[in-house]
Amino acid sequence: MSRRILAFLGGALVLTVSACDRTEPVAPGAAVVERSPMSAQSVDPGLAALLAVNEQLAARGLSIRAEAIEFFTIGEGRPSNRIHQQEFRWVPGDPRRLAQGDDITYLVDRSDGATASGLKSAQTEAAIDAGLLTWDDSEPLKTVDVVKLADRGADPDIFDSFFGFGRFGNPFLADIVNAGWLPRAFFEAVGGPGGGRGILAFSVTFIFTDDDGVPTDINGDNYLDTALNEVYYNDTFGDRRDDRAGNPWGINVVLPGIDVETVALHENGHSLELGHFGPPPAAVLNPVYAGLRHVPLAPDLAGMNAIWSSWPNP
Ligand SMILES: [Zn+2]
């Protein structure tokens, strides 16, 4: 065998190993099931997005990684994606995210709050506030204060920057950032083919790592430590130039309109670490939009209770 062929085989081996590294952390079954057996190369788009972002975070020497992404859709559902099987939780008083004691803080980015469907930033902000207040007032979160922080004008989000739709902002201005309404192309880039017209909004959660990129559990609760969460809304809905003009974002609207508070309640449910389930049963956290829904249902509350009843104790 010539030296050239050996070198080639060596290269192929390295490629194979790195391909294994990339696919190994695929934990949850949903993503794997959705993948076509014909194309070994086709990593689920949401997972590919997380991995691409994490390569850049590692290259920058930052001690956070994108951990989970969940898509809220109209029509067909999309699998959620996670890097690790182990779940994540906010850590009370975590100094790394500048935690405000035991509170969970949120911020609404006003700069991207207006919609192509004609809503003003103040309208979408009020609807998002209403969604968060619903969770804050719910029985499972009675020992948690979900506190709003003012948008002081600084860029409060980072995930959009990795896809060319914004700058790398300050990720620690609040625990949860409702980052506003972004172009259809952003959702196509993150969600893959069809994402631009199918994804209403998504939630992305980052976790903390040590200097070597290994996830931390500083309070020993057997959960990875949540660093931040960002929520993005798709502005194609109600844009007259697009094929989703017939499903405009609105306030307290029924289908075919898309109700901002309903989507905000759903998305910020993820921000408060509740995952998708059903249907059945019917729930705010069903993965596909089912019309106006402003009140958490029993399964939502049971899920939240499991997460938050022991707060602020590990
Ligand atoms: Zn969702």
Side-chain angles (χ1 to χ4, degrees), residues 70-72 266-267 270 276 285-287:
E70 276 152 305
F71 301 104
F72 194 25
H266 175 108
E267 288 307 318
H270 290 311
H276 283 152
L285 270 290
N286 289 159

Side-chain angles (χ1 to χ4, degrees), residues 206-284:
F206 293 72
I207 56 169
F208 284 112
T209 68
D210 63 18
D211 292 342
D212 299 319
V214 179
T216 62
D217 173 15
I218 58 166
N219 61 340
D221 62 356
N222 291 317
Y223 290 103
L224 306 180
D225 303 335
T226 302
L228 60 128
N229 172 270
E230 296 179 350
V231 175
Y232 293 89
Y233 302 83
N234 186 346
D235 204 22
T236 200
F237 293 88
D239 188 330
R240 286 182 196 165
R241 299 166 296 180
D242 295 342
D243 64 359
R244 283 301 191 182
N247 301 109
W249 289 105
I251 303 297
N252 299 330
V253 293
V254 296
L255 279 167
I258 307 296
D259 179 55
V260 178
E261 183 178 335
T262 300
V263 177
L265 181 67
H266 175 108
E267 288 307 318
N268 287 275
H270 290 311
S271 309
L272 294 165
E273 309 195 313
L274 194 54
H276 283 152
F277 46 83
V284 165

Side-chain angles (χ1 to χ4, degrees), residues 11 21 26 41 44 61 76 78 83 101-102 116 139 167 170 174 178 188 194 216 224 228-229 231 235 246 255 286 308:
D21 280 344
V26 183
Q41 273 190 326
D44 202 66
E76 230 171 284
R78 281 172 174 265
I83 303 290
D102 298 336
E139 182 67 15
R167 287 166 299 139
N170 182 344
N178 281 257
E188 193 76 13
T216 62
L224 306 180
L228 60 128
N229 172 270
V231 175
D235 204 22
L255 279 167
N286 289 159
W308 292 100

Side-chain angles (χ1 to χ4, degrees), residues 279-293:
V284 165
L285 270 290
N286 289 159
V288 176
Y289 188 83
L292 190 144
R293 200 169 272 174

Side-chain angles (χ1 to χ4, degrees), residues 52-127:
V53 165
N54 287 345
E55 267 179 35
Q56 294 187 52
L57 288 168
R60 289 177 191 224
L62 295 172
S63 298
I64 55 172
R65 295 291 184 273
E67 169 62 21
I69 189 162
E70 276 152 305
F71 301 104
F72 194 25
T73 62
I74 186 164
E76 230 171 284
R78 281 172 174 265
S80 302
N81 298 108
R82 275 158 52 178
I83 303 290
H84 298 93
Q85 197 134 31
Q86 193 174 359
E87 289 187 60
F88 45 85
R89 290 282 188 273
W90 297 102
V91 176
D94 193 335
R96 296 170 295 178
R97 60 179 166 86
L98 310 178
Q100 185 172 296
D102 298 336
D103 297 345
I104 296 295
T105 61
Y106 80 94
L107 180 155
V108 180
D109 185 353
R110 290 180 170 164
S111 64
D112 290 317
T115 71
S117 69
L119 298 178
K120 295 187 170 68
S121 183
Q123 291 177 285
T124 58
E125 180 169 0

